[in-house]
Amino acid sequence: MRRLTSLDAFFLATEDARTVANVSALTILERKRANGRRLTRHAVKSLFAQRLHLLPPLRWQLAEVPLGVAHPSWVDGEVDLDFHIREFALPAPGDDVALAEHVARLAAEPMNRSRPLWEAYLIHGLSDDRVALLIKLHHSAVDGVSGGEILRTLLDESPHGRELPPAPARQTEPVPNRLAMLLRGVADIPRQQIAAVNAARPALANLDKVATIRSLPGVGQIASLAGRFSKGSRPELAAPPELVAPHTAFNARITPNRSLALLSLPLPEVLQLKQAHGATVNDIVVALCAGALRTWLADKEELPDETLLAMVPVSVRTAEEQGTFGNKVSTMVVALPTDEANPVGRIRACRDSLLQAKQQQKAQPPNLMQHANDLVPPVLFGSAMRTVLRLASSRRLNPAANVVISNVPGPRTPLYFAGARVLANYPVSTIVDGMALNITLFSYLDKLQIGVTADPELVPDVDLLARALVNELELQVSLLKPAKTKRR
């Protein structure tokens, strides 16, 4: 058995009738495989069966602790591939708009907690002789980096697959009964208390750096006071400008509904901007998002005078922790120059704000989010987390941030699934109360593939935001080209 950390458990605790913590990848594939046969559900099941021993999170079944006296555990249980792997066909004409609508609905559906928390859907009926594979995972089991490890295990660099390590003889763990789990939980209480004591000093002194609660009243004062009494736990850096997120229509309580826009941007043009401005790919990505948000909101006459803020996930997983799955993540809060009319100025401002955010993030404890969660006893954890998120999304307070922006680098070489060539790989992320908009990017081959996830009740025009991203890149690239002079 493997106990969930408090950060893993956080993603379970956030779920309710309106919120799910599913993170998904939508892979677009050629319909025909290298052997000339079509990709079928049977072929998908066979590949998962052959690689299941390399994919622990796909075998993990949740074992809850009665009365919540400890966080749940993962049990290496039975996997019914007939249950987890499904298929359906899109109605004609099978365009990308219909695909996005169906995927948004599936991504918003909660998963059965009595089974391992994953699902896969083979989607037929796409135009241009394509199929799609949607893989849903739960954030309690994987973060962005470990989710990428699962995809790399399922995909190959050759259409003919690769040699796999032999599967060891596996004995599944039975899920303990309620009494056994209760006894385990009670026995775990001393460890919880030690963890809370160890977490108190770094967590309290940096409480205002925890992105999800930074806007709550009193958090800054607690951090300042704890820092004074705990010398060295709060690094002395130049004080950053106070970052306060303005209110927008998408910073409110969400509904159960989701919308999704899928788009691709040419990576060579992004790299061209990177080179021209002495920036990083992430700088350019954030600047494109800032420009697109500015245009989109201005067109609706909803652009705030203040800069928007983005919450940017950051992996804190060490090399030794690769392959351990679970969550090893922190966040940065980054000012988006949505108040800057000059496109070049937006890139410079993003470069500066990201550099400052990185310096602040490196100065804080790498496991700050987990330390903060460790302060809350498991018996109170679920209700406490939901209360905090409800308060943080209140219209009476400024949002913690306005939008989530995440950029996940991917391979520049072709990949294959069961012999079928991968044409594109789109992320489908999650939204929460107070932040009903998420922009996540995967790079693959010469494209940046983007999934914009939103609540359609709060963001009814997510397609226009996607279009604004395309237009912003075209604008920025056009400014690199020297103006043509007229011949005399």
Side-chain angles (χ1 to χ4, degrees), residues 123 221 228 236 255 298 316 361 379 420:
I123 306 172
Q221 291 88 332
R228 286 194 209 122
E236 295 296 329
T255 73
V316 294
Q361 195 270 332
V379 70

Side-chain angles (χ1 to χ4, degrees), residues 11-12 15 20-26 48 52 55-60 74 84 106-111 116-121 134-152 154 325-327 428-430 442:
F11 293 103
L12 291 173
E15 292 195 317
V20 294
N22 302 331
V23 286
S24 307
L26 178 67
F48 272 83
L52 201 59
L55 299 165
L58 272 57
R59 308 191 306 265
W60 289 345
W74 296 118
H84 289 279
L106 289 171
E109 292 178 354
M111 289 190 276
L117 293 177
W118 68 277
E119 296 168 0
Y121 295 83
L134 175 67
I135 300 177
K136 277 174 63 174
L137 304 168
H138 200 279
H139 216 322
S140 61
V142 295
D143 56 18
V145 170
S146 53
E149 291 180 47
I150 288 178
L151 284 181
R152 287 194 295 274
L154 292 170
F325 304 100
N327 286 274
V428 184
S429 200
T430 186
F442 282 170

Side-chain angles (χ1 to χ4, degrees), residues 52-56 58-60 75-80 116 167-173:
L52 201 59
H53 66 289
L54 304 174
L55 299 165
L58 272 57
R59 308 191 306 265
W60 289 345
V75 174
D76 198 338
E78 294 282 357
V79 180
D80 180 359
R170 189 171 82 89
Q171 292 185 343
T172 59
E173 296 179 274

Side-chain angles (χ1 to χ4, degrees), residues 99-113:
L99 176 63
E101 289 176 354
H102 279 74
V103 168
R105 177 181 56 80
L106 289 171
E109 292 178 354
M111 289 190 276
N112 186 341
R113 290 195 180 185

Side-chain angles (χ1 to χ4, degrees), residues 6 9-16 18 64 67-72 113 213 216 253 373 375-392 433:
S6 60
F10 169 80
F11 293 103
L12 291 173
T14 59
E15 292 195 317
D16 57 22
R18 298 171 295 105
E64 301 272 7
L67 307 179
V69 296
H71 292 309
R113 290 195 180 185
I213 62 172
L216 294 181
R253 283 167 63 84
N373 287 334
L375 296 177
V376 184
V379 70
L380 303 174
F381 193 81
S383 58
M385 294 302 108
R386 287 186 288 274
T387 298
V388 165
L389 290 175
R390 186 166 59 250
L391 288 172
D433 278 341

